[in-house]
Amino acid sequence: VNVTGTYNLVKAFPKVKFVYISTEYVYKPVNLYSWTKLWAENVVKNLHSNYLIIRTLFKPTPWPYDTAFSDQYTTGDYVDVIAPKIAAAILADEKGIIDIGTGRKTMLELAKRTKPNIPISSVDDIKNVKLPKDYQ
């Protein structure tokens, strides 16, 4: 979906500004998701002349998981914080590739804003998919 779907949309809408929501995972791709987001960015860059690629990360409010990683870093935030920043970038007619975030923090620090007593976990606890510890 990330690559083929993006390709189909780029081909279907060549005359409008194309906004692609990517991820900060593309800085250090380590799994299929991050690689397909990076490949889709390349589809946009190579096949569309008027584009905005937004690299970001957003989570639902409140934190949706039972634990939070103390050793995974992000510049992302909750969707209610990131969405207005995305809208502002689009309305400002930004072009190219931009990062939208709210400063470097651990996922645990982010989670504690809505779930102060959330249990701590580690990226190393996840065995069925490879996750990055740091995006930058």
Side-chain angles (χ1 to χ4, degrees):
V1 170
N2 285 334
V3 180
T4 306
T6 300
Y7 173 83
N8 290 334
L9 288 169
V10 164
K11 293 305 247 178
F13 298 99
K15 298 188 189 289
V16 299
K17 182 173 184 179
F18 195 89
V19 178
Y20 181 71
I21 305 297
S22 191
T23 178
E24 61 187 5
Y25 277 32
V26 299
Y27 288 108
K28 292 185 179 176
V30 297
N31 56 32
L32 184 61
Y33 171 75
S34 55
W35 280 110
T36 60
K37 291 299 268 187
L38 184 59
W39 294 332
E41 282 189 12
N42 284 313
V43 167
V44 174
K45 288 189 302 188
N46 290 312
L47 298 179
H48 207 288
S49 60
N50 183 15
Y51 64 87
L52 173 61
I53 295 170
I54 298 172
R55 292 176 173 172
T56 191
L57 179 139
F58 46 86
K59 297 290 184 190
T61 305
W63 185 258
Y65 309 108
D66 295 331
T67 66
F69 299 136
S70 62
D71 57 351
Q72 186 180 57
Y73 291 86
T74 184
T75 60
D77 214 304
Y78 291 106
V79 68
D80 59 320
V81 174
I82 295 295
K85 294 177 178 296
I86 291 172
I90 294 167
L91 293 172
D93 202 28
E94 297 257 6
K95 292 183 180 6
I97 300 173
I98 64 169
D99 294 295
I100 293 183
T102 58
R104 185 176 158 86
K105 67 193 92 35
T106 65
M107 291 294 188
L108 179 62
E109 290 168 319
L110 178 61
K112 284 186 174 231
R113 291 193 351 229
T114 59
K115 286 189 178 176
N117 297 320
I118 189 142
I120 298 170
S121 61
S122 169
V123 170
D124 296 332
D125 297 335
I126 305 301
K127 304 298 183 202
N128 58 340
V129 65
K130 188 172 182 179
L131 297 173
K133 287 190 176 187
D134 203 346
Y135 303 115
Q136 299 291 325

